[in-house]
């Protein structure tokens, strides 16, 4: 039977949450004003003004190591008229992809894949704009090679870029991890390239725009790995702009500024050095760099000591507009450094003595943080951005007179996101990840006289754990917000929302008059503290906050044995990383013991009375599904059926059946009956081999007793329970291009015979299928009466770039024609889509 379609299905991206890969050269701030970063094997783009991730670019097969804009923020002055900006991204397999962004409509396209010359991962990409249509970029790899490329941009949109390899050479056995390029002043187009890495030296290469690069000299001084290099634009000294500076940072905790001065500027025509006054500006002469017919004297301008740990990143401030000549730009003498000591510093020379000093220090003081991997200037130089060990961003803006204040930034998981679920109220989504955290995202509604809208943000981090978290289940029913999580341990943990979160949620959803709510008045726990081992979270009671405990001097020290107390806070605006990491924990109320291996799957029934759990298993006894009674949290059942790990479970809409699917390629349906004395009776209704490979996912029809199963064999099958006694197959959808890893079924218009099935796959793609069927008088469905049609294949640029792990629907009570779909994946991303049926 062909389905009678009642309209089209539209899908629109609402929110993307993702953390940054914990790699040094991962982030780039472009002249476009957008920031690029790698999120697993996707390239993510976020707008600092709105603090939202705009899109992710799929294409890489391996983890993205580095990104670089053409033009970058340094070359904003050469990009004023550009309508297309370009982005380079390199991954751990050695592949480099060029992307194009049209500023007019915000559309992205993959332009080309750079010929693969690197045999190992790309560690750094750096480029310079020669003109508005021509650029040079170089890439370095852990295989010890450097490649230099020329890129000519098309004059019109969607044109072809011309790419040519100018040079490729090997440095040696020690891999290079950073590089920088510049045009040498006064040389008629000579290029200098600096690279550094594991041999503690800075290697300088010179050459023409179209010729081979020649090794010019080495700069020695650092005593550990070189981590970052950056050339300035020409700096005017005594009226001559014939000097450029190179700044370098290292794991020896030091920053060095190297001056490269055109020889003619420091010698007379007879080759006799001018006499210079001996002062603090005097430098130690280093090697001479020969570039064509010109030569440059290299000297150590300054040694900056201030950081207490490895300095991962240094960057010159982008050029500023000359206050006198509006069309002219100048290079500010200002350097930003980022270190693993959790600080970023701005260094500038003192006006009178010329000695370089630390003028601004900003940092992340959370007990959880382990430092910064990189720091970046905004194109205008009024904001600085850091990315840290926890996959997080930190943004400060110079509000006035060097008063740098923290700003909102996007956030998300920095490892595979394993499970996602909507709150029972639908006000937020919760996700858990192998980054050992549970996070809550919600739309923060804005109501002002001029603007009204909402933007999604992370508003709480209820669990920060010591094990990778594999699964979670939101507890439905009446009462406070609760959830159960399962990690790489044998214990499931139950958490309950504290008072500080409930009030923050009210602020986010603009619910002003909730102080009389029974839940708010009953909750006596304000927040939670982390234990020393990072496993349990202890409650902080409301009455205890007013009792200031006496603490000795030693008690306040941040040591390995003691950790600072959390300060539960009610937020009136979206919290930043410092606050999220420590002050938004939920207290743990119960531990559920019973499983013999690590937890793998959890689900809760719709009444909020039962929670089912499963663990990793290789035998029938370990593969048992445990049932827990909500409230008392006692074990009330152990369901045996499978011989290997149960991968997903779900209760039917009326809670009369529990469906389980397993690695043993079978699905099982259990009947669940409840007696008046809170006893649970259960029995195995059916067990059947449903697929030829592992069954990863399952989902019930929300209005009746049909269900879908999805498998590694790339198929989705629809089944029906016959007269509550047996299961029979109804339909098999056409084979998909990739393994089916996630399913979620939602009913349309509250009708029993119309629904949407969301299907997520291993390649990151999401498809929505329309299911409709005719029922007989007894309610059963005949096979010819069921039809499935593809409603929409979601655009890859808003889909995941890796395996979709879970899908979850939310109905819109106000508009039955629109719904929201949440998804999470192995690309570290969580996504929310608006789905409309016309």
């Amino acid at each position: 039977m062909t389905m009678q379609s009642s309209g089209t299905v539209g899908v629109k991206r609402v929110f993307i949450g993702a953390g940054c890969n914990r790699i040094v050269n991962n982030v780039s701030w472009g002249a476009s004003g957008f920031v690029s970063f790698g999120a697993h094997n996707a390239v993510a783009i976020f707008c600092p003004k709105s603090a939202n991730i705009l899109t992710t670019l799929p294409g890489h097969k391996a983890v993205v190591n580095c990104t670089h804009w053409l033009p970058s923020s340094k070359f904003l002055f050469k990009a004023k008229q550009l309508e297309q900006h370009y982005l380079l991204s390199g991954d751990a397999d050695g592949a480099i992809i060029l992307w194009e962004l049209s500023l007019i409509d915000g559309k992205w396209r993959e332009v080309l894949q750079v010929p693969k010359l690197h045999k190992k991962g790309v560690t750094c990409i750096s480029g310079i704009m020669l003109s508005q249509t021509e650029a040079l970029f170089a890439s370095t790899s852990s295989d010890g090679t450097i490649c230099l490329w020329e890129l000519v941009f098309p004059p019109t949109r969607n044109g072809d870029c011309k790419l040519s390899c100018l040079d490729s050479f090997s440095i040696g056995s020690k891999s290079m991890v950073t590089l920088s390029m510049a045009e040498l002043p006064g040389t008629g187009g000579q290029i200098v390239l600096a690279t550094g890495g594991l041999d503690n030296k800075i290697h300088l290469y010179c050459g023409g725009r179209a010729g081979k690069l020649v090794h010019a000299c080495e700069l020695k001084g650092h005593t550990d790995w070189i981590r970052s290099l950056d050339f300035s634009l020409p700096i005017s000294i005594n009226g001559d702009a014939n000097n450029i500076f190179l700044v370098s940072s290292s794991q020896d905790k030091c920053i060095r500024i190297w001056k490269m001065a055109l020889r003619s500027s420091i010698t007379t025509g007879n080759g006799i050095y001018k006499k210079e006054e001996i002062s603090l500006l005097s430098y130690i002469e280093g090697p001479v760099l020969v570039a064509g017919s010109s030569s440059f004297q290299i000297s150590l301008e300054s040694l900056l000591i201030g950081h207490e740990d490895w300095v991962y990143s240094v960057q010159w401030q982008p050029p500023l507009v000359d206050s006198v000549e509006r069309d002219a730009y100048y290079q500010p003498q200002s350097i930003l450094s980022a270190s693993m000591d959790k600080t970023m510093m701005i260094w500038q020379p003192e006006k009178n003595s010329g000695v370089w000093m630390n003028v601004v220090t900003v940092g992340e003081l959370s007990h959880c943080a382990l430092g910064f991997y990189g720091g970046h200037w905004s194109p205008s130089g009024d904001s600085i951005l850091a990315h840290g060990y926890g996959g997080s961003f930190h943004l400060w803006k110079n509000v006035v007179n060097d008063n740098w204040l923290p700003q909102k930034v996007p956030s998300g998981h920095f490892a595979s996101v394993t499970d996602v679920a909507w709150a029972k109220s639908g006000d937020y989504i919760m996700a858990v990840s192998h980054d050992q955290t549970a996070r809550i995202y919600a739309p923060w509604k804005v109501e002002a006289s001029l603007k009204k809208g909402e933007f999604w943000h992370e508003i709480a981090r209820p669990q920060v754990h010591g094990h990778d978290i594999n699964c979670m289940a939101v507890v439905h029913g009446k009462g406070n917000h609760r959830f159960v999580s399962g990690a790489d341990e044998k214990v499931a943990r139950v958490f309950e929302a504290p008072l500080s979160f409930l009030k923050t949620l009210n602020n986010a959803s603009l619910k002003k008059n909730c102080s009389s709510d029974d839940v708010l008045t009953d909750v006596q726990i304000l927040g939670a503290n982390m234990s020393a081992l990072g496993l349990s979270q202890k409650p902080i009671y409301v009455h205890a906050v007013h009792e200031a405990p006496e603490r000795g001097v030693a008690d306040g020290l941040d040591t390995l044995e003691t950790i600072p107390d959390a300060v539960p806070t009610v937020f009136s605006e979206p919290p930043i990383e410092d606050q999220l990491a420590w002050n938004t924990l939920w207290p743990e109320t119960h531990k559920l013991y019973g499983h013999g291996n690590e937890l793998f799957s959890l689900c809760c029934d719709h009444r909020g009375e039962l929670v089912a759990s499963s663990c990793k298993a290789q035998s029938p006894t370990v593969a048992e599904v445990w049932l827990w009674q909500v409230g008392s949290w006692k074990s009330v059942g152990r369901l045996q059926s499978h011989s290997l790990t149960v991968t997903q479970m779900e209760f039917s809409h009326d809670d009369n059946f529990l469906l389980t699917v397993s690695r043993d390629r079978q699905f099982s349906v259990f009947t669940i009956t409840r007696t008046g004395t809170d006893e649970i009776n259960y029995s195995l209704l059916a067990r059947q081999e449903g697929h030829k490979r592992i069954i990863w996912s399952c989902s019930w029809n929300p209005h009746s007793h049909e269900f879908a199963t999805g498998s590694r064999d790339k198929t989705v099958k629809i089944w029906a329970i016959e007269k509550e006694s047996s299961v029979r197959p109804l339909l098999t959808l056409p084979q998909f291009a990739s393994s089916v890893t996630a399913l979620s079924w939602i009913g349309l218009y509250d009708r029993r015979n119309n629904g949407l099935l969301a299907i997520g796959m291993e390649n990151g793609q999401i498809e929505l299928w329309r299911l409709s069927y005719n029922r007989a008088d007894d309610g059963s469905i005949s096979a010819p009466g069921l039809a499935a049609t593809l409603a929409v294949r979601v655009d890859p640029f808003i889909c995941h770039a890796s395996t979709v792990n879970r899908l979850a629907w939310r109905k819109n009570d106000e508009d039955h024609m629109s719904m929201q779909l949440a998804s999470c994946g192995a690309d570290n991303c969580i996504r929310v889509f608006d789905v409309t049926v016309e």
Side-chain angles (χ1 to χ4, degrees), residues 427-501:
D427 288 336
Y428 60 85
I429 51 175
M430 181 180 293
V432 295
S433 163
H434 284 163
D435 69 3
Q436 305 184 350
T437 65
R439 304 182 189 226
I440 290 177
Y441 304 88
W444 197 285
K445 297 181 180 178
V446 178
E447 186 178 43
S449 56
L450 296 179
K451 60 180 181 179
K452 195 171 184 178
E454 62 182 34
F455 293 97
W456 282 74
H457 295 279
E458 183 181 350
I459 65 167
R461 207 165 292 174
Q463 185 181 11
V464 178
H465 203 38
H467 297 288
D468 294 1
I469 307 178
N470 298 322
C471 53
M472 57 85 63
V474 169
V475 178
H476 299 280
K478 297 180 180 179
N480 196 6
H481 299 259
R482 289 174 292 183
F483 76 95
V484 186
S485 75
D488 274 345
E489 55 179 348
K490 302 174 184 179
V491 184
R493 298 172 186 269
V494 185
F495 297 85
E496 185 168 336
L499 188 61
S500 58
F501 171 78

Side-chain angles (χ1 to χ4, degrees), residues 42 57 120 136 150 152 269 277 359 371 436-437 531 584 609 674:
L57 310 178
K120 293 184 179 179
L136 291 179
E150 181 184 41
V152 179
E277 181 182 348
V359 295
Q436 305 184 350
T437 65
S531 68
T584 60
E609 296 176 355
R674 298 164 174 82

